[in-house]
Amino acid sequence: MPTVLVKPKSIRPGFTLIELLICLFVVAVLLGLLLPVLSGARAAGYRSVCATNQRQIGIAFVLYLQDNKETLPQYANAPEMSDWKYGGAAVASAGGASPQAVMLDAGRPINRYIDNSRDGNASPETVMLFSCPADRGVFARAPGSATRGATSILDRGTCFREFGTSYRANAKLLDSTIAGIDELSRPLKMSDIATNHSRLLLLGDSAWYYATRDAGKPDALFEASWHQTQDAGNMLAIDGSTRFVKFGEANTTAFTIRPRGE
């Protein structure tokens, strides 16, 4: 009987250690190239949403002015808090970051012009107009960087959770005494304003406030840089326009917080 020779099956070689290391190296290089691009795209998206939010809030201010003889709003329950409580949410608890956990605060003056619901229960999307998606709160200043890994000093983390809004208003427009006009602590009328409306900051990302504090003042030790650039953010001007600004007293060509004297 003839001998039958069986051809052995071919054995598929696996990856060698060198090949595996090369693959891992290539993947690492690709990730290194892609992550900054993705991070930049996300930051640009946050910046765009933030600007849109501020434009919508600006419309509410216009409607308020029309109904109140061209007088800017002031929070009746605590006028000294008007820069935070001109409008915004009432956050139910320290963990209230989700739309379901917050509602518009009925006592804040511009909220009635934000809420277009018939029953006073604004939609979650409407409430979140006051929340910048990049809001990380307030943290100790670190010269030369936006301190992206810093921990907020606020009890509730973000400005939105702490104050009901990410966007701090210009107190010089909401209190005549702070503006240096008189001792009445009244909200300004549009006729009180002598500065170019396109440059005059009405509100903005909270970075503007800390960036404009005089050196040596306690608040100058903090910042609220949310958009990957130190002391920068979106601002809403009194004329309703919005733009991204590098804040600081030296940058007076881009914006001002003073309603008079320039």
Side-chain angles (χ1 to χ4, degrees), residues 161-238:
R161 295 192 191 106
E162 186 79 12
F163 304 109
T165 179
S166 299
Y167 308 121
R168 189 166 190 162
N170 183 358
K172 292 181 183 294
L173 299 181
L174 310 181
D175 190 301
S176 59
T177 302
I178 296 174
I181 294 175
D182 55 41
E183 298 300 320
L184 301 177
S185 294
R186 61 176 175 81
L188 273 64
K189 295 180 177 293
M190 293 299 289
S191 58
D192 291 315
I193 297 172
T195 302
N196 186 322
H197 290 190
S198 67
R199 292 178 54 242
L200 181 56
L201 183 146
L202 174 57
L203 60 81
D205 289 337
S206 298
W208 78 262
Y209 175 82
Y210 299 98
T212 56
R213 299 308 92 189
D214 293 333
K217 297 291 185 180
D219 283 345
L221 299 175
F222 302 100
E223 63 174 301
S225 304
W226 304 336
H227 294 286
Q228 297 189 339
T229 304
Q230 189 168 34
D231 292 333
N234 286 308
M235 64 164 272
L236 170 70
I238 195 74

Side-chain angles (χ1 to χ4, degrees), residues 43-61:
Y46 284 171
R47 190 182 299 182
S48 177
V49 170
C50 178
T52 299
N53 288 349
Q54 292 186 22
R55 278 192 289 272
Q56 294 299 313
I57 294 170
I59 293 172
F61 269 96

Side-chain angles (χ1 to χ4, degrees), residues 16-28:
T16 66
L17 179 59
I18 295 298
E19 290 172 329
L20 184 59
L21 290 175
I22 291 173
C23 289
L24 291 175
F25 175 77
V26 171
V27 170

